[in-house]
Amino acid sequence: MSRTSALLVAMLTLIGTVLFLTTTPAGAAAIRIMPLGDSITGSPGCWRVLLWNRLQSTGYTDIDFVGTLPPQGCSVAHDGDNEGHGGFLATNVANQNQLPGWLAATRPDIVVMHFGTNDVWSNIAPATILSAFTTLVSQMRASNPAMKILVAKIIPMNPANCADCGQRVVAFNNAIPAWAATTSTQQSPIVVVDQWTGFSTSADTYDGVHPNASGDQKMSDRWYPALADFLTPGGSTPPPPRPR
């Protein structure tokens, strides 16, 4: 082989190597999932433990629960990062512009949101809470235009100091589907997850508000299929949700 031919072969080999390195995709990053809400999500929010471990055991392993808060108990190994702030109102989080900082710190692909209990307890109108939800969704999409958002019809509540709270929850939950339908987009869908139906404040909470062990199991069971719709076993780009 002439010197010119050898040099040409070397150059072509180098070009091929560069093309391979620049066109071969790297391993897909873990899907980042933010549990967002109040004490029902974060203090300690043991439904997250059950959900995390069920996802792991059924092959959804390339995921990362994210949040600026650390695990808050439950005594079972799991990815406990979350954004469940005890006592917080969705309206305050929106009005005080708190979510963008949390999003910037954690960069979620999916948000799992059970929020509004404290707003309902404070007798804030459903329309006002949902206006705050719209603000939060806009902030999520500013962080990630393809954000996938699971929004709960919240669990029922019957605190000792709020006789009207049960019916207020019903009114709030009844307003969520229409809000979601008008706010959802193809790129950033909003999926409503019914955490209310079949949940008993007497059997599934320890104080009329916060879930006990059976309540945690029910919440995990409701989140699981909706979240799995956005995941692929082993991990990949979240696909569109299947019809529900």
Side-chain angles (χ1 to χ4, degrees):
M1 181 182 294
S2 69
R3 181 177 178 180
T4 301
S5 297
L7 181 60
L8 179 60
V9 170
M11 290 178 64
L12 291 173
T13 301
L14 177 61
I15 291 169
T17 301
V18 170
L19 288 173
F20 175 80
L21 291 173
T22 57
T23 58
T24 302
I31 303 302
R32 301 168 69 84
I33 302 165
M34 173 189 281
L36 173 63
D38 48 41
S39 59
I40 292 171
T41 295
S43 302
C46 292
W47 60 261
R48 291 181 290 106
V49 179
L50 301 172
L51 180 60
W52 167 263
N53 284 306
R54 183 175 179 185
L55 288 165
Q56 295 295 301
S57 67
T58 53
Y60 299 104
T61 54
D62 201 3
I63 60 173
D64 181 11
F65 278 15
V66 299
T68 61
L69 298 177
Q72 294 160 296
C74 304
S75 303
V76 177
H78 69 293
D79 184 350
D81 298 330
N82 71 95
E83 217 63 74
H85 297 262
F88 277 35
L89 281 68
T91 47
N92 286 346
V93 170
N95 293 338
Q96 296 169 14
N97 205 37
Q98 294 175 296
L99 181 59
W102 303 340
L103 293 167
T106 59
R107 299 176 291 106
D109 304 294
I110 301 171
V111 172
V112 175
M113 185 168 81
H114 185 287
F115 221 169
T117 297
N118 292 306
D119 303 81
V120 169
W121 206 334
S122 300
N123 202 19
I124 296 174
T128 303
I129 305 171
L130 292 174
S131 178
F133 277 18
T134 299
T135 297
L136 298 179
V137 167
S138 296
Q139 292 169 343
M140 293 173 197
R141 290 170 175 166
S143 168
N144 180 349
M147 189 77 78
K148 311 300 187 288
I149 306 162
L150 307 184
V151 175
K153 286 187 174 182
I154 63 174
I155 62 174
M157 57 188 296
N158 185 28
N161 64 350
C162 184
D164 295 334
C165 277
Q167 190 55 45
R168 291 180 202 167
V169 170
V170 172
F172 173 54
N173 283 340
N174 284 345
I176 291 175
W179 166 83
T182 59
T183 311
S184 185
T185 67
Q186 184 173 4
Q187 184 181 21
S188 176
I190 297 173
V191 176
V192 177
V193 178
D194 183 1
Q195 293 284 0
W196 188 88
T197 301
F199 196 102
S200 166
T201 55
S202 59
D204 300 319
T205 75
Y206 60 83
D207 60 357
V209 179
H210 299 88
N212 58 19
S214 65
D216 286 327
Q217 187 65 61
K218 287 184 177 181
M219 291 189 71
S220 173
D221 289 346
R222 291 295 175 87
W223 286 127
Y224 175 83
L227 183 53
D229 277 350
F230 288 119
L231 304 173
T232 298
S236 71
T237 302
R242 298 187 294 270
R244 297 184 62 78

PDB file of all heavy atoms in Angstrom, residues 55 74-75 85 88 92-93 111 147 154 157 183 187-188 206 213:
ATOM      1  N   LEU A  55     -43.004  -0.211  41.387  1.00  0.00           N
ATOM      2  CA  LEU A  55     -42.412   0.094  40.082  1.00  0.00           C
ATOM      3  C   LEU A  55     -41.120  -0.692  39.886  1.00  0.00           C
ATOM      4  O   LEU A  55     -40.884  -1.275  38.823  1.00  0.00           O
ATOM      5  CB  LEU A  55     -42.150   1.589  39.964  1.00  0.00           C
ATOM      6  CG  LEU A  55     -43.386   2.480  39.812  1.00  0.00           C
ATOM      7  CD1 LEU A  55     -43.031   3.934  40.061  1.00  0.00           C
ATOM      8  CD2 LEU A  55     -44.033   2.309  38.442  1.00  0.00           C
ATOM      9  N   CYS A  74     -41.000   6.176  57.225  1.00  0.00           N
ATOM     10  CA  CYS A  74     -41.607   4.978  56.605  1.00  0.00           C
ATOM     11  C   CYS A  74     -40.784   3.721  56.809  1.00  0.00           C
ATOM     12  O   CYS A  74     -41.287   2.625  56.617  1.00  0.00           O
ATOM     13  CB  CYS A  74     -41.916   5.166  55.119  1.00  0.00           C
ATOM     14  SG  CYS A  74     -42.978   6.586  54.786  1.00  0.00           S
ATOM     15  N   SER A  75     -39.502   3.839  57.162  1.00  0.00           N
ATOM     16  CA  SER A  75     -38.678   2.699  57.607  1.00  0.00           C
ATOM     17  C   SER A  75     -38.548   1.585  56.578  1.00  0.00           C
ATOM     18  O   SER A  75     -38.313   0.435  56.937  1.00  0.00           O
ATOM     19  CB  SER A  75     -39.244   2.111  58.913  1.00  0.00           C
ATOM     20  OG  SER A  75     -39.309   3.110  59.922  1.00  0.00           O
ATOM     21  N   HIS A  85     -44.677  19.252  51.030  1.00  0.00           N
ATOM     22  CA  HIS A  85     -44.436  20.236  52.087  1.00  0.00           C
ATOM     23  C   HIS A  85     -45.630  20.309  53.042  1.00  0.00           C
ATOM     24  O   HIS A  85     -46.700  20.807  52.670  1.00  0.00           O
ATOM     25  CB  HIS A  85     -44.178  21.608  51.457  1.00  0.00           C
ATOM     26  CG  HIS A  85     -42.954  21.654  50.593  1.00  0.00           C
ATOM     27  ND1 HIS A  85     -41.741  22.130  51.062  1.00  0.00           N
ATOM     28  CD2 HIS A  85     -42.748  21.267  49.310  1.00  0.00           C
ATOM     29  CE1 HIS A  85     -40.836  22.052  50.091  1.00  0.00           C
ATOM     30  NE2 HIS A  85     -41.427  21.533  49.014  1.00  0.00           N
ATOM     31  N   PHE A  88     -48.617  23.144  53.451  1.00  0.00           N
ATOM     32  CA  PHE A  88     -48.598  24.100  52.343  1.00  0.00           C
ATOM     33  C   PHE A  88     -49.932  24.118  51.605  1.00  0.00           C
ATOM     34  O   PHE A  88     -50.620  23.097  51.504  1.00  0.00           O
ATOM     35  CB  PHE A  88     -47.478  23.780  51.362  1.00  0.00           C
ATOM     36  CG  PHE A  88     -46.134  24.330  51.768  1.00  0.00           C
ATOM     37  CD1 PHE A  88     -45.755  24.403  53.098  1.00  0.00           C
ATOM     38  CD2 PHE A  88     -45.228  24.760  50.811  1.00  0.00           C
ATOM     39  CE1 PHE A  88     -44.514  24.904  53.476  1.00  0.00           C
ATOM     40  CE2 PHE A  88     -43.987  25.263  51.178  1.00  0.00           C
ATOM     41  CZ  PHE A  88     -43.625  25.335  52.500  1.00  0.00           C
ATOM     42  N   ASN A  92     -50.828  29.264  47.851  1.00  0.00           N
ATOM     43  CA  ASN A  92     -49.659  29.999  48.335  1.00  0.00           C
ATOM     44  C   ASN A  92     -48.413  29.675  47.515  1.00  0.00           C
ATOM     45  O   ASN A  92     -47.610  30.566  47.199  1.00  0.00           O
ATOM     46  CB  ASN A  92     -49.392  29.690  49.805  1.00  0.00           C
ATOM     47  CG  ASN A  92     -50.379  30.358  50.730  1.00  0.00           C
ATOM     48  OD1 ASN A  92     -51.118  31.254  50.329  1.00  0.00           O
ATOM     49  ND2 ASN A  92     -50.408  29.924  51.981  1.00  0.00           N
ATOM     50  N   VAL A  93     -48.247  28.399  47.177  1.00  0.00           N
ATOM     51  CA  VAL A  93     -47.088  28.004  46.372  1.00  0.00           C
ATOM     52  C   VAL A  93     -47.105  28.738  45.030  1.00  0.00           C
ATOM     53  O   VAL A  93     -46.067  29.208  44.543  1.00  0.00           O
ATOM     54  CB  VAL A  93     -47.065  26.477  46.179  1.00  0.00           C
ATOM     55  CG1 VAL A  93     -46.014  26.067  45.145  1.00  0.00           C
ATOM     56  CG2 VAL A  93     -46.784  25.774  47.512  1.00  0.00           C
ATOM     57  N   VAL A 111     -44.568  14.976  36.915  1.00  0.00           N
ATOM     58  CA  VAL A 111     -44.976  15.434  38.237  1.00  0.00           C
ATOM     59  C   VAL A 111     -46.210  14.636  38.659  1.00  0.00           C
ATOM     60  O   VAL A 111     -47.159  14.484  37.885  1.00  0.00           O
ATOM     61  CB  VAL A 111     -45.291  16.940  38.239  1.00  0.00           C
ATOM     62  CG1 VAL A 111     -45.899  17.355  39.582  1.00  0.00           C
ATOM     63  CG2 VAL A 111     -44.025  17.753  37.973  1.00  0.00           C
ATOM     64  N   MET A 147     -43.460  18.192  29.909  1.00  0.00           N
ATOM     65  CA  MET A 147     -43.783  17.673  31.236  1.00  0.00           C
ATOM     66  C   MET A 147     -45.060  16.847  31.198  1.00  0.00           C
ATOM     67  O   MET A 147     -46.074  17.252  30.627  1.00  0.00           O
ATOM     68  CB  MET A 147     -43.976  18.822  32.227  1.00  0.00           C
ATOM     69  CG  MET A 147     -44.110  18.372  33.678  1.00  0.00           C
ATOM     70  SD  MET A 147     -42.524  17.924  34.385  1.00  0.00           S
ATOM     71  CE  MET A 147     -41.829  19.560  34.714  1.00  0.00           C
ATOM     72  N   ILE A 154     -58.338  14.570  45.075  1.00  0.00           N
ATOM     73  CA  ILE A 154     -57.733  14.325  46.378  1.00  0.00           C
ATOM     74  C   ILE A 154     -58.587  13.372  47.227  1.00  0.00           C
ATOM     75  O   ILE A 154     -59.789  13.252  47.023  1.00  0.00           O
ATOM     76  CB  ILE A 154     -57.472  15.633  47.135  1.00  0.00           C
ATOM     77  CG1 ILE A 154     -58.764  16.384  47.440  1.00  0.00           C
ATOM     78  CG2 ILE A 154     -56.504  16.516  46.341  1.00  0.00           C
ATOM     79  CD1 ILE A 154     -58.565  17.618  48.332  1.00  0.00           C
ATOM     80  N   MET A 157     -61.728  13.995  53.185  1.00  0.00           N
ATOM     81  CA  MET A 157     -61.255  14.436  54.490  1.00  0.00           C
ATOM     82  C   MET A 157     -62.435  14.694  55.410  1.00  0.00           C
ATOM     83  O   MET A 157     -63.511  15.109  54.971  1.00  0.00           O
ATOM     84  CB  MET A 157     -60.380  15.691  54.359  1.00  0.00           C
ATOM     85  CG  MET A 157     -61.035  16.861  53.680  1.00  0.00           C
ATOM     86  SD  MET A 157     -59.904  18.252  53.330  1.00  0.00           S
ATOM     87  CE  MET A 157     -59.441  18.773  54.967  1.00  0.00           C
ATOM     88  N   THR A 183     -56.773  22.292  30.022  1.00  0.00           N
ATOM     89  CA  THR A 183     -55.384  22.674  30.282  1.00  0.00           C
ATOM     90  C   THR A 183     -54.386  21.683  29.699  1.00  0.00           C
ATOM     91  O   THR A 183     -53.236  22.021  29.417  1.00  0.00           O
ATOM     92  CB  THR A 183     -55.153  22.805  31.808  1.00  0.00           C
ATOM     93  OG1 THR A 183     -56.193  23.605  32.381  1.00  0.00           O
ATOM     94  CG2 THR A 183     -53.829  23.472  32.128  1.00  0.00           C
ATOM     95  N   GLN A 187     -48.419  17.657  23.918  1.00  0.00           N
ATOM     96  CA  GLN A 187     -47.025  17.588  24.318  1.00  0.00           C
ATOM     97  C   GLN A 187     -46.880  17.425  25.825  1.00  0.00           C
ATOM     98  O   GLN A 187     -45.954  16.747  26.298  1.00  0.00           O
ATOM     99  CB  GLN A 187     -46.281  18.846  23.870  1.00  0.00           C
ATOM    100  CG  GLN A 187     -44.778  18.801  24.177  1.00  0.00           C
ATOM    101  CD  GLN A 187     -44.056  20.063  23.757  1.00  0.00           C
ATOM    102  OE1 GLN A 187     -44.669  21.111  23.586  1.00  0.00           O
ATOM    103  NE2 GLN A 187     -42.752  19.970  23.569  1.00  0.00           N
ATOM    104  N   SER A 188     -47.778  18.033  26.574  1.00  0.00           N
ATOM    105  CA  SER A 188     -47.695  18.014  28.039  1.00  0.00           C
ATOM    106  C   SER A 188     -49.058  17.630  28.613  1.00  0.00           C
ATOM    107  O   SER A 188     -49.803  18.486  29.104  1.00  0.00           O
ATOM    108  CB  SER A 188     -47.250  19.392  28.550  1.00  0.00           C
ATOM    109  OG  SER A 188     -47.250  19.437  29.955  1.00  0.00           O
ATOM    110  N   TYR A 206     -55.831   8.012  59.743  1.00  0.00           N
ATOM    111  CA  TYR A 206     -55.702   7.905  61.201  1.00  0.00           C
ATOM    112  C   TYR A 206     -56.249   9.131  61.925  1.00  0.00           C
ATOM    113  O   TYR A 206     -56.340   9.126  63.151  1.00  0.00           O
ATOM    114  CB  TYR A 206     -54.246   7.655  61.601  1.00  0.00           C
ATOM    115  CG  TYR A 206     -53.254   8.717  61.196  1.00  0.00           C
ATOM    116  CD1 TYR A 206     -53.064   9.867  61.953  1.00  0.00           C
ATOM    117  CD2 TYR A 206     -52.477   8.552  60.052  1.00  0.00           C
ATOM    118  CE1 TYR A 206     -52.154  10.838  61.584  1.00  0.00           C
ATOM    119  CE2 TYR A 206     -51.548   9.516  59.671  1.00  0.00           C
ATOM    120  CZ  TYR A 206     -51.398  10.657  60.436  1.00  0.00           C
ATOM    121  OH  TYR A 206     -50.477  11.617  60.064  1.00  0.00           O
ATOM    122  N   ALA A 213     -51.967   2.906  56.919  1.00  0.00           N
ATOM    123  CA  ALA A 213     -51.350   1.896  56.054  1.00  0.00           C
ATOM    124  C   ALA A 213     -52.273   1.488  54.907  1.00  0.00           C
ATOM    125  O   ALA A 213     -51.837   1.355  53.751  1.00  0.00           O
ATOM    126  CB  ALA A 213     -50.948   0.679  56.876  1.00  0.00           C
TER     127      ALA A 213
END
